[in-house]
Amino acid sequence: MQLYFNLYNCVTHEVAVGETIADARLALASAESLPQSAGLPLLSYAGELLADELHLEALPEGVTLTGSLPLLGGKVHGSLARAGKVRGQTPKVEKQEKKKARTGRAKRRIQYNRRFVNVVVTGPGRRRGPNAQEKA
């Protein structure tokens, strides 16, 4: 029976009687000339990782097994133990009472006066927004 492995190159493998996935992993590592430090490739079929004890005769003939090398783990930035630290140590400030905002015609009147009537003529340069701080 023949199987195909796909890791870096497509490799053909002749299956012996009683051969398991563990044996196939060793064969793929030697066929691809993988260094010992890379570890043995993991084999998957139809999106599922195959267990080392599984016999290759259980798979259909001519199937392609996909190999993948385990990735080296790394640190995640920051510790989850300190998550929410700044918000937790910030003192709670109660909302202040504000006077009721004008609506409708009165609001539009204030907006018109602010934008067009009380305009401060500024010199050349970039226009500044209504919330910009004055430079001293």
Side-chain angles (χ1 to χ4, degrees):
M1 180 170 124
Q2 252 187 358
L3 290 179
Y4 301 98
F5 297 131
N6 193 7
L7 182 63
Y8 297 122
N9 305 310
C10 192
V11 177
T12 307
H13 179 68
E14 196 63 43
V15 177
V17 178
E19 195 172 356
T20 62
I21 294 292
D23 301 328
R25 289 173 61 190
L26 285 169
L28 177 59
S30 65
E32 291 279 357
S33 303
L34 295 177
Q36 291 286 348
S37 61
L40 290 178
L42 302 172
L43 291 175
S44 61
Y45 173 64
E48 302 252 343
L49 281 177
L50 299 174
D52 282 347
E53 305 83 42
L54 180 70
H55 286 277
L56 293 177
E57 291 99 22
L59 297 171
E61 182 163 351
V63 75
T64 300
L65 300 180
T66 306
S68 60
L69 291 174
L71 297 175
L72 298 175
K75 287 213 172 221
V76 177
H77 289 289
S79 167
L80 292 179
R82 292 190 296 270
K85 169 185 165 271
V86 173
R87 185 175 181 185
Q89 68 187 17
T90 305
K92 176 75 174 146
V93 178
E94 296 298 325
K95 287 190 175 182
Q96 296 177 345
E97 282 194 31
K98 299 175 185 173
K99 68 180 203 176
K100 183 175 76 87
R102 294 191 173 147
T103 60
R105 180 197 54 81
K107 182 176 180 180
R108 290 282 182 217
R109 179 175 161 239
I110 291 170
Q111 194 177 54
Y112 173 79
N113 286 336
R114 190 180 300 137
R115 288 186 183 170
F116 302 109
V117 176
N118 297 335
V119 174
V120 177
V121 179
T122 57
R126 247 178 110 204
R127 273 193 65 194
R128 297 172 59 117
N131 210 24
Q133 301 293 313
E134 289 295 322
K135 286 187 180 175

